[in-house]
Amino acid sequence: MTSLFSKTISLRKELKISDAEFAQLRDFIYAQSGIYVADNRKYLVENRLATRIKELNLKSFAEYHAFLQYDAGRRQELNRLFEVITTNETSFYRNPPQLKVFQDMVLKDVLDKLKAQRQKRLRIWSAGCSTGEEPYTIAIILHEVLRAELPAWDIRITANDLSEAVLAQAREAVYSDYSLRTTPKEIVARYFTPDGANFKLKPEVKRLVSFGQINLSDRMQLKRVERSHIVFCRNVIIYFDDEMKKNVITAFYDNLLPGGQLLIGHSESLHNISRAFRPKHYPGAIIYSKEE
């Protein structure tokens, strides 16, 4: 019996993407999502989409492009396309040094200012939330910081992603050991319950987060997001070209309330992208602030 691995290899040998087909699909992906697929990632497009083409009983990448444009099932397939071209590598408490700065400095500063203004309404946006680990980590940190005070606060974490599939997983809030690999053991014990071989997030954490699909290349969708005190967009803009980066960062700036804070991935930078933000340097992290 032919193994699944052998079938996959056979399929990849049979189905090759031409330069013209790659350019066609790359332009389509960029127009739909703002994600730019560089020439050196051509093999990824070929490998990852070959299975989709086979399952749809299509014969070429050109036919797949036509399917995405004209078929009655194109909306559903577009979601599948987004799933295969994006990488959803994440975990709870990812990049601990940055999260420590967020908890001890950024969040404390925002909460203190709100309390001084006799306000207890906090809005945080997690743009590119993947399967939920980032916004749920933020929710856990809020529980850790506010503790008994938390019920008196009006808190909403808006969590968005391009892929409906990862959002469905996020809403389930059931995670494996691998997703919790960077999470302190006492946090796992406090905020998760065992669920077979996995761990289920407790309802009091889930209720702080609201999930929804968003396309960061769609300016009108971005404008509809409630204005925020803090925006997280970590390890997302690396997929964009400079023009798209500028558009997205401008949208974040417009969304943030005066004095708001932007956190991006530790390997990302706003250098040559935006001068609107004021960078604040902390041990292990740079936080970008909007002027008050």
Side-chain angles (χ1 to χ4, degrees), residues 51-104:
T51 302
R52 293 300 311 139
I53 291 169
K54 181 72 172 178
E55 289 175 357
L56 292 167
N57 292 317
L58 302 175
K59 294 182 176 63
S60 68
F61 288 90
E63 283 193 14
Y64 183 67
H65 178 249
F67 184 97
L68 289 167
Q69 289 183 296
Y70 306 116
D71 194 88
R74 62 187 180 275
R75 285 304 314 170
Q76 183 178 357
E77 184 56 31
L78 193 59
N79 283 325
R80 299 296 298 271
L81 174 65
F82 293 155
E83 290 166 32
V84 300
I85 63 169
T86 54
T87 302
N88 294 297
E89 175 63 27
T90 186
S91 65
F92 281 86
Y93 279 79
R94 188 178 187 182
N95 191 1
Q98 185 187 46
L99 290 175
K100 180 172 175 56
V101 170
F102 166 69
Q103 180 170 330
D104 296 346

Side-chain angles (χ1 to χ4, degrees), residues 7-283:
K7 286 180 179 178
T8 303
I9 295 298
S10 174
L11 174 61
R12 290 174 182 172
K13 285 181 179 177
E14 294 169 10
L15 197 59
K16 291 291 184 182
I17 188 168
S18 68
D19 289 344
E21 288 172 325
F22 173 70
Q24 195 176 50
L25 276 169
R26 177 175 63 187
D27 291 348
F28 179 82
I29 290 166
Y30 183 79
Q32 293 295 318
S33 66
I35 295 172
Y36 179 75
V37 184
D39 288 342
N40 63 2
R41 294 173 69 85
K42 176 182 172 183
Y43 75 99
L44 286 176
V45 173
E46 183 176 80
N47 289 350
R48 292 182 179 184
L49 293 182
T51 302
R52 293 300 311 139
I53 291 169
K54 181 72 172 178
E55 289 175 357
L56 292 167
N57 292 317
L58 302 175
K59 294 182 176 63
S60 68
F61 288 90
E63 283 193 14
Y64 183 67
H65 178 249
F67 184 97
L68 289 167
Q69 289 183 296
Y70 306 116
D71 194 88
R74 62 187 180 275
R75 285 304 314 170
Q76 183 178 357
E77 184 56 31
L78 193 59
N79 283 325
R80 299 296 298 271
L81 174 65
F82 293 155
E83 290 166 32
V84 300
I85 63 169
T86 54
T87 302
N88 294 297
E89 175 63 27
T90 186
S91 65
F92 281 86
Y93 279 79
R94 188 178 187 182
N95 191 1
Q98 185 187 46
L99 290 175
K100 180 172 175 56
V101 170
F102 166 69
Q103 180 170 330
D104 296 346
M105 308 295 292
V106 176
L107 184 59
K108 182 181 184 302
D109 183 55
V110 171
L111 293 175
D112 286 348
K113 285 180 180 176
L114 289 173
K115 289 176 183 178
Q117 297 166 5
R118 297 184 181 275
Q119 294 183 29
K120 289 194 174 182
R121 180 179 177 277
L122 176 66
R123 295 294 183 264
I124 299 176
W125 182 12
S126 171
C129 67
S130 188
T131 43
E133 287 89 337
E134 177 180 271
Y136 285 142
T137 297
I138 298 166
I140 288 171
I141 289 172
L142 283 163
H143 273 272
E144 288 290 292
V145 170
L146 290 170
R147 295 193 178 270
E149 291 182 53
L150 191 137
W153 282 77
D154 171 13
I155 295 173
R156 180 181 301 157
I157 301 166
T158 299
N160 298 129
D161 201 273
L162 184 62
S163 167
E164 283 285 9
V166 300
L167 290 170
Q169 292 180 54
R171 293 185 184 102
E172 286 292 319
V174 177
Y175 296 95
S176 67
D177 277 332
Y178 188 72
S179 291
L180 295 165
R181 64 191 182 277
T182 52
T183 309
K185 287 183 170 55
E186 64 273 16
I187 294 294
V188 176
R190 197 173 297 147
Y191 296 104
F192 293 83
T193 55
D195 185 51
N198 298 315
F199 296 87
K200 191 168 188 174
L201 191 66
K202 290 186 175 180
E204 58 264 32
V205 180
K206 286 181 65 177
R207 70 170 60 104
L208 295 183
V209 185
S210 175
F211 291 98
Q213 187 183 38
I214 202 167
N215 189 330
L216 291 177
S217 69
D218 189 325
R219 186 168 296 183
M220 293 309 297
Q221 286 188 27
L222 297 178
K223 285 184 176 180
R224 288 195 289 268
V225 178
E226 187 174 10
R227 295 195 71 187
S228 313
H229 298 91
I230 302 166
V231 172
F232 278 76
C233 187
R234 302 193 298 168
N235 307 303
V236 175
I237 64 171
I238 53 174
Y239 294 105
F240 302 146
D241 65 2
D242 285 350
E243 181 182 356
M244 179 65 180
K245 286 177 183 176
K246 289 175 182 176
N247 291 340
V248 170
I249 296 301
T250 298
F252 292 154
Y253 186 88
D254 292 342
N255 173 270
L256 280 166
L257 294 161
Q261 313 282 313
L262 170 66
L263 288 83
I264 60 177
H266 71 280
S267 63
E268 298 170 322
S269 171
L270 296 191
H271 183 65
N272 292 332
I273 301 300
S274 173
R275 294 185 178 179
F277 288 93
R278 179 165 52 90
K280 292 184 180 180
H281 295 262
Y282 299 93

